[in-house]
Amino acid sequence: MANGDLLNISISGLRTSQRVLATIGHNISNVNTDGYSRQEAELSTRDPQFLGNGFLGKGVEVVGVNRQVDAFLNTQVLVNTSSSSKQQVLFDLSSQVDKVFANEQTGLTPALQSFFNGLQELADDPSSIPARQVLKTEAETFVARFHEINERLSDLNLNSNQRLDDMVSEVNSLADAIARLNRDISQSPGIANGIVPNDLLDQRDALLNDLSELVGFTTINQQDGAVNVLIGNGQTLVVGNTAQTLATVPDPLDSSRKEVAFVSGGASFVISNNLRSGEIGGVLDFRDDVLDPAVNGLGRLAVVVGSTINAQHRDGMDLDGQLGGDFFVLPSPRVVGSSGNTGTLTVAYDPAAVGNLSIDDYQLDVTAGNLLLTNLSSGAVQTLGAIGSGPFSAEGLIISEGVAAVNGDRYRLEPMQNAARDLRLNITDTSKIAAAAPIKGSAALANTSDAVVSGGEVLDVTNVNLLNSVNLVFNSATTFQVNGAGASIAYTSGANIDLNGWRVQITGTPQNGDTFSVQSNAGGVGDNRNALQLSALQITDILENGTTSYQGAYSQMIAIVGTQTRQAEISSSALGVLKQQSIAARSEVSGVNLDEEAARLLQFQQSYQASAQAISIANTIFETLLSAVR
Amino acid sequence: MRLSTQQFFQQNITNMQERLVKLNEYQTQIASGKRILAPSDDPAAASRVLEINNSINATVQFQENAGIATSRLEQEEGVLSGATQTLQRVRELVLQGRNATLTASDRGFLASEVRIRLDELLGMANTRSSNGEYIFAGNQAKTQAFTQDASGTVNYNGDQGQRQLQISADRQIADGDNGREVFVGIRNGNGTFSTAANNANTGTARISAGSVLTPGSYQPDQFEIRFTSGNSFDVVNVTTATTVAAAQPYTDSASITAIPGIEVALNGAPAAGDVFTINPSASQSMFATLGNIIAGLTGNQGSTGDNALFQQQMDNALVDIDQSIEKLLEVRASIGARLKAVDSQIEVNDEFQFQMKSVRSQLEDADLAEVISQLTLESTALQAVQQSFVKTQELNLFNFI
């Protein structure tokens, strides 16, 4: 009987060693498999046999093959992957905006500077057609630069939409695969007894890892071995063996942008605001925090430059002696109404308040008889007034009702969205560039005093009498009359004399009978006063309520985008390190080390050899017995 | 602690990649010479660099404007220097002409030279710049500044505009002067009042240009000194039609101060009925002054009255020419001051540009010495990582089984 015991015990040793060696082989083969967790065969002594005088050992057996995992470390990896891939995407996309804005060739700065240099050259030589041609070309380049940069930014928007489409379909296929693995795992034979299919779990962990790159989520483990995946605000992407789907839908008030929606029971609702991690979160954050402000900032600059240059240009006189027209064709603010609106709304930039224009988008609601304007960036709400009491001036805009509004009407105002795209040059004929001031002041040759009159400036170019000739005739040393008739006006040296929409000053000590005339400057082709005024706009603080210049505002945009990009870069590398560390921590537990496996291989090769030797000894013993009998 | 084999390889790959990225960054910095390759490298500095570039470019334009202003002012100065010489020549001719011994034909020669000088001056006043603008036409730059009509009168067709050029962000300078200011708006007489002898005078007396004694008391009205006999005169304010002083005794060359605030003197022998006028100074163009000289030189001669009138005209011409020359000198002094201002602004602009460039260089230029040493350090580190990787990956138990 003893001999049979030894044989059986040794055989159990042989078989166990084989099992262990197989597990080691499995580990070695999967040393480079992503998501593979090292497996370890768990050994145990067999139940002993009671012989009356004691227990006799019966060898060894494999009681289970375990996966070496730490659930906490796995979760860490998922969370860090989501955060890190979000920042990576944010950095990749932001740095594209960053480079578009600041590039010495493609940025706006050189074109802006060249345009104003063109104005200076015009001021140097106002009657020169070549100088006018140069200015027109520089203005065309300036406008084209707005279009190009805007084009690059809208490409990034299209690209973001495309990425959202791709990522959402990837999320859907991952969710599907996870649901299928959930089914396989929950249906695997030993699951009721807690025996889990290690390799399937590894596969599912790898899928969850892939999913975490796209979007952040939380998991809930189920009794049957399945995991439920929750995204956003608790939307169940995977429940057991069924997967829900995400979809991209166009924003109802802005079809140029897509939002991520959760599809449930045939209905879908937008969950973009709750998806703020993973690559999807990165794209959404980029669009809201970097791209939109950049597009709006560029648009605002286009509106403000166009509007202020136009206003000054209209105050001038062109080569043909005509008052200046518009230099640029101004864009108009983008307004989209809800499909259920009753009223209509028109919105225009307020030329008198361009400094108040912001880069924010707004929502206009009609509630309880009032028009409410909500700033979508800050959330600040202001009441414009009651229905029908418009037009309203707010935020540099003039908002007026067409068809009267009714409660419930809703509009999205994106005043700057298309502005950079729609700015155009109005000047086609270079002689229409108004370099001169429209009026001139002159002292009559017969004057006996040395008193002088200023050239004159325009206060109100719309005054119909602006270009009429007016004589200011002194009827005493201290008073003068307009055109030598009417009331005597007291004279103060250097004081403003405002009439017919213009303003002049007379300085000195005029004598009775002295005449000063103000008249149209037609023919004053050498006059550059308006060109100087136009070029002075370059250093005038206009934007942000009159606190910064064109270039200042653009530099601010660059600084903001640059800072955002820098932050994304720093976060991306910091979170990348965290991700690497959590992967390292997981691999400390779950990874395969070939040295370790080699040692184990030797260890179990030896135990196999020893068990085999024991069988040989059992055989020898049996042979000895037989030969004794023989 | 365990280290999985995959992690070991991954870690080494990551290490090498990071070093390589750094190496690439340093290499790009060396190649471009710039520390900031994208605004995100240093957002604050990057936006500052943009504004500095803007300032530098604007200053380049200001320098260009200043160059244009300089060349225009120099052209104007050249023309006005020529005009001064012309007027001085005319002054010499007048001095020659007033010599009583000259014959009518001598005066005729002088008159024809003055005519040539008048044309010369007119040509100067109609000078055009390289781009075809009449430099003395004010803002009516494409209109001929001065034209002579059939009667020989020279008219000014320009306006009183004066163009300013921007030579720094907050400084403008006039690039010229209009013809009204330079050639036309010249006060005749002594600048306050002018004196003249009546054409019909028969005596030999001439009136001096006079001078202002007390500026406040002078009333710019028209006065006349009317001789009632060879040694007695009345002073009449023609404007107010009042007699200021009646029956004054006449003394040759004595100062007459009957008109409040001013004095004039007469010399020679007046005849009864002779009238001398004192008018407030009016604007008289240089061309009119030269025209008066020509008229004087070619006027009637022979009678006592004619000779006295001729002498009076020459006296007045000298006063008016001196006023014209003084006006030119005044304008030229102003041009000189402007040229000096432009010059010093050009220096200031140069200095500003230099400073801005050095600030920009501090902001965006790479410190080559530092970057190269970092590059060396980093490439050494990369080599070390590579070598240690090759060494450690050989240490595998399987090699010994």
Side-chain angles (χ1 to χ4, degrees), chain B residues 163-198:
Chain B
R163 185 161 58 212
Q164 307 281 332
L165 296 189
Q166 198 86 36
I167 56 168
S168 84
D170 45 16
R171 185 156 192 194
Q172 296 180 349
I173 201 111
D175 71 346
D177 298 274
N178 61 64
R180 157 80 191 268
E181 170 72 15
V182 179
F183 298 102
V184 179
I186 300 159
R187 295 272 164 207
N188 61 4
N190 62 16
T192 306
F193 59 89
S194 64
T195 58
N198 199 333

Side-chain angles (χ1 to χ4, degrees), chain A residues 373-419:
Chain A
L373 190 66
T374 311
N375 181 320
L376 291 177
S377 297
S378 67
V381 183
Q382 54 178 313
T383 306
L384 296 177
I387 293 172
S389 67
F392 310 100
S393 292
E395 310 286 317
L397 301 170
I398 298 174
I399 299 168
S400 34
E401 292 173 62
V403 176
V406 298
N407 287 341
D409 281 3
R410 167 173 289 190
Y411 300 89
R412 172 91 59 87
L413 275 57
E414 294 173 347
M416 303 305 162
Q417 184 74 33
N418 296 331

Side-chain angles (χ1 to χ4, degrees), chain A residues 113-133:
Chain A
Q113 184 60 47
S114 298
F115 173 61
F116 278 98
N117 283 355
L119 277 172
Q120 290 271 350
E121 308 238 342
L122 175 68
D124 289 347
D125 242 340
S127 66
S128 151
I129 296 298
R132 286 165 179 268
Q133 192 57 49

Side-chain angles (χ1 to χ4, degrees), chain A residues 174-476:
Chain A
L174 284 172
D176 214 38
I178 292 168
R180 265 186 279 119
L181 277 169
N182 270 348
R183 189 193 59 208
D184 293 349
I185 290 165
S186 61
Q187 289 176 356
S188 78
I191 202 80
N193 303 323
I195 299 169
V196 292
N198 291 331
D199 297 325
L200 293 185
L201 292 188
D202 277 350
Q203 279 178 30
R204 190 176 64 190
D205 281 350
L207 290 176
L208 287 172
N209 216 23
D210 289 348
L211 184 63
S212 74
E213 284 187 0
L214 295 169
V215 64
F217 57 86
T218 50
T219 56
I220 300 170
N221 289 318
Q222 301 296 300
Q223 287 285 329
D224 61 358
V227 292
N228 291 351
V229 179
L230 310 180
I231 60 166
N233 205 8
Q235 283 76 33
T236 48
L237 185 63
V238 178
V239 183
N241 53 19
T242 54
Q244 310 280 348
T245 54
L246 297 183
T248 51
V249 294
D251 184 326
L253 290 175
D254 182 355
S255 58
S256 69
R257 57 198 290 144
K258 287 191 172 174
E259 300 288 352
V260 180
F262 184 71
V263 182
S264 172
S268 67
F269 52 98
V270 172
I271 55 168
S272 289
N273 283 339
N274 298 317
L275 297 179
R276 288 302 173 190
S277 60
E279 290 180 4
I280 290 181
V283 170
L284 292 171
D285 267 15
F286 163 71
R287 207 170 58 183
D288 288 356
D289 299 342
V290 181
L291 189 60
D292 282 353
V295 169
N296 286 349
L298 189 71
R300 179 176 67 165
L301 197 54
V303 170
V304 174
V305 170
S307 178
T308 47
I309 293 275
N310 272 359
Q312 186 61 52
H313 192 255
R314 282 195 298 265
D315 279 356
M317 183 173 264
D318 64 22
L319 267 190
D320 306 330
Q322 302 290 315
L323 287 174
D326 280 348
F327 197 90
F328 294 107
V329 179
L330 277 193
S332 43
R334 178 190 156 100
V335 183
V336 185
S338 277
S339 52
N341 284 356
T342 308
T344 56
L345 201 69
T346 47
V347 178
Y349 305 113
D350 185 352
V354 284
N356 297 343
L357 289 170
S358 78
I359 59 168
D360 300 331
D361 292 339
Y362 300 88
Q363 181 167 307
L364 188 138
D365 291 287
V366 183
T367 311
N370 283 322
L371 278 72
L372 304 179
L373 190 66
T374 311
N375 181 320
L376 291 177
S377 297
S378 67
V381 183
Q382 54 178 313
T383 306
L384 296 177
I387 293 172
S389 67
F392 310 100
S393 292
E395 310 286 317
L397 301 170
I398 298 174
I399 299 168
S400 34
E401 292 173 62
V403 176
V406 298
N407 287 341
D409 281 3
R410 167 173 289 190
Y411 300 89
R412 172 91 59 87
L413 275 57
E414 294 173 347
M416 303 305 162
Q417 184 74 33
N418 296 331
R421 184 194 73 187
D422 294 345
L423 183 75
R424 283 186 295 115
L425 190 64
N426 191 42
I427 293 284
T428 48
D429 177 357
T430 56
S431 68
K432 293 290 172 201
I433 297 174
I439 54 158
K440 60 178 175 185
S442 47
L445 195 58
N447 286 0
T448 49
S449 77
D450 290 326
V452 292
V453 62
S454 66
E457 57 185 303
V458 176
L459 298 180
D460 176 16
V461 77
T462 59
N463 193 309
V464 289
N465 297 322
L466 182 75
L467 300 183
N468 291 356
S469 293
V470 171
N471 286 324
L472 303 172
V473 184
F474 279 78
N475 54 355
S476 79

